Amino acid sequence: MKTKLSLLSAALLTASLTLTPALSQAAIPMAVNGESIPSLAPMLERTTPAVVAVAVEGTHVSKQKLPDAFRYFFGPNAPQEQVQERPFRGLGSGVIIDAKKGYIVTNNHVIDGADEILIGLHDGREVEAKLIGADAESDIALLQIKAKNLVAVKRADSDELKVGDFAVAIGNPFGLGQTVTSGIVSAMGRSGLGIEMLENFIQTDAAINSGNSGGALVNLNGDLIGINTAIVAPGGGNVGIGFAIPANMVNNLVDQIIEHGEVRRGVLGVSGRDLTSELAQAFGLDTQHGGFVDQVMEDSAAEDAGIKAGDIIVSVNGRKIKSFQELRAKVATMGAGAKVKFGLIRDGDSKTVSATLGEASQTTEASAGAVHPMLAGAALENGDDGVEITDIAQNSPAAASGLRKGDIIVGVNRSSIDDLNSLKAKLKEQQGTVALKIQRGHSSLFLVLR
């Protein structure tokens, strides 16, 4: 095996060879009229050793079910599906959050499918990493290395962030080596972007590029406020719109992975939608932020807490929320068994209720809205031949799509699906309009989701 993933040094060498234009360096004046200029350098000297490069090697495996006609040519013992394996290499970033135990947080998409993971430390050392656990829906992964003299970043309370706060992004863009950019927090609670299943992003204009994924977004004290995850890049590069997973959301997920080896997702047991101006006007409300509850599931944490259909949930543990998507992301990443206070508006009056979150089985149940926005309001469970609609809320997006209780989803476009995991994967691959193949009684039909 080649010098154990000498991928880091190879990638850095390639990057340096492709930068053909000469780069000039401008000296930064340290004083003007005898007065020193503020600098981020002292903070970065303390913080940058906690940000690492992540190099991976692995094999992507894709499976495609072969058409029934294939068996007519090759007989009943013909293979049922075509399997393709494609080797890959990748580079990303990570953040040391516990120096003593060697814990490193990165994005799931950085290490997904990796057979080998190599960490490049700030001081030049290269150390193999072990995957402790990951959560694809929130795009967080926890790694562990064995090394001495590590430096960990301190984590901030990301719920205290405000638009306009300064932010500094640290990562490994384009394999160039550690790079620092700065900007501000441009927005909070960004969701509905279709980047991840669970979205509650910090938006920043600090430059984030390919390879920054999994790197640190810090404040001016050098405290971690988020994990850099995605960008809007119509031209392939940074345009000043980047997204990071908030540190508090990361903390909840990491704690669950450390304790259980996996994320045990919390469930409130409601379906709903964002509070629109039309809904606010219909209910005579002054606010236009929050999550409107369409339906409360039977025997759920929400029902036990006294939440009712028609309630508008406006805060979680005293923190205001902007949308139902933000509510869903916060609840789902808090973990089963968490005790949560919800602020809500009912009939124009403000109320606070407490709920102990239930647990969602990652293989048998799912929040349908997390699978696809137009499935919101449906309760999904694995069936014998696909994914069954076990319940559906009236006037919900799922009902408007034409779905009925008892329907079984057996395919997406021309691909068959077996369970919730394959349904999520197929829908995530698709862009724009998709067609669900439905088994309804003895009939088959297609329903279009836009």
Side-chain angles (χ1 to χ4, degrees), residues 241-264:
I241 303 177
F243 302 102
I245 301 169
N248 287 3
M249 189 166 161
V250 174
N251 293 342
N252 290 333
L253 294 163
V254 165
D255 288 346
Q256 293 172 59
I257 291 172
I258 291 173
E259 183 176 356
H260 306 294
E262 63 180 3
V263 170
R264 296 189 174 177

Side-chain angles (χ1 to χ4, degrees), residues 346-401:
R346 179 184 298 161
D347 299 328
D349 297 326
S350 298
K351 298 173 66 70
T352 301
V353 299
S354 297
T356 301
L357 300 181
E359 181 176 357
S361 166
Q362 291 185 333
T363 57
T364 61
E365 298 176 9
S367 169
V371 178
H372 191 284
M374 291 308 295
L375 293 179
L380 308 180
E381 287 189 11
N382 283 340
D384 294 334
D385 302 311
V387 177
E388 183 177 355
I389 311 294
T390 58
D391 202 359
I392 194 162
Q394 291 183 353
N395 303 318
S396 65
S401 299

Side-chain angles (χ1 to χ4, degrees), residues 298-375:
E298 291 183 6
D299 301 321
S300 65
E303 185 180 60
D304 291 343
I307 297 174
K308 299 179 179 180
D311 286 348
I312 295 99
I313 300 177
V314 294
S315 68
V316 177
N317 286 337
R319 310 281 187 174
K320 291 182 179 179
I321 60 166
K322 293 184 177 181
S323 64
F324 192 84
Q325 295 278 359
E326 183 180 353
L327 168 68
R328 184 169 58 79
K330 283 181 176 288
V331 166
T333 53
M334 281 180 175
K339 292 178 170 54
V340 187
K341 289 185 177 181
F342 296 95
L344 53 87
I345 297 174
R346 179 184 298 161
D347 299 328
D349 297 326
S350 298
K351 298 173 66 70
T352 301
V353 299
S354 297
T356 301
L357 300 181
E359 181 176 357
S361 166
Q362 291 185 333
T363 57
T364 61
E365 298 176 9
S367 169
V371 178
H372 191 284
M374 291 308 295
L375 293 179

Side-chain angles (χ1 to χ4, degrees), residues 25 87 90 164 168 188 200 220 237 267 285 306 410:
Q25 293 181 325
V168 179
M188 295 292 298
N200 178 29
L220 292 185
V267 171
L285 301 174
V410 296

Side-chain angles (χ1 to χ4, degrees), residues 145-361:
I145 62 172
K146 292 182 179 180
K148 295 181 179 179
N149 302 319
L150 297 177
V151 175
V153 71
K154 180 181 176 183
R155 286 172 271 179
D157 182 355
S158 56
D159 285 337
E160 297 290 341
L161 281 177
K162 293 180 173 61
V163 173
D165 286 348
F166 288 105
V168 179
I170 311 171
N172 179 42
F174 300 115
L176 291 170
Q178 195 173 84
T179 301
V180 177
T181 56
S182 66
I184 62 169
V185 173
S186 307
M188 295 292 298
R190 285 292 194 220
S191 61
L193 304 172
I195 299 171
E196 306 298 344
M197 292 290 191
L198 298 173
E199 298 181 341
N200 178 29
F201 292 125
I202 300 166
Q203 182 181 323
T204 180
D205 67 347
I208 297 173
N209 288 290
S210 178
N212 270 111
S213 290
L217 190 69
V218 302
N219 59 23
L220 292 185
N221 293 322
D223 300 336
L224 185 71
I225 58 176
I227 296 294
N228 300 323
T229 297
I231 58 174
V232 172
N238 177 266
V239 295
I241 303 177
F243 302 102
I245 301 169
N248 287 3
M249 189 166 161
V250 174
N251 293 342
N252 290 333
L253 294 163
V254 165
D255 288 346
Q256 293 172 59
I257 291 172
I258 291 173
E259 183 176 356
H260 306 294
E262 63 180 3
V263 170
R264 296 189 174 177
R265 206 167 304 291
V267 171
L268 180 58
V270 298
S271 64
R273 66 188 76 188
D274 295 347
L275 180 65
T276 62
S277 57
E278 290 83 3
L279 276 173
Q281 185 176 4
F283 280 80
L285 301 174
D286 294 330
T287 181
Q288 293 187 16
H289 297 294
F292 182 83
V293 178
D294 283 332
Q295 182 186 24
V296 176
M297 308 302 175
E298 291 183 6
D299 301 321
S300 65
E303 185 180 60
D304 291 343
I307 297 174
K308 299 179 179 180
D311 286 348
I312 295 99
I313 300 177
V314 294
S315 68
V316 177
N317 286 337
R319 310 281 187 174
K320 291 182 179 179
I321 60 166
K322 293 184 177 181
S323 64
F324 192 84
Q325 295 278 359
E326 183 180 353
L327 168 68
R328 184 169 58 79
K330 283 181 176 288
V331 166
T333 53
M334 281 180 175
K339 292 178 170 54
V340 187
K341 289 185 177 181
F342 296 95
L344 53 87
I345 297 174
R346 179 184 298 161
D347 299 328
D349 297 326
S350 298
K351 298 173 66 70
T352 301
V353 299
S354 297
T356 301
L357 300 181
E359 181 176 357
S361 166

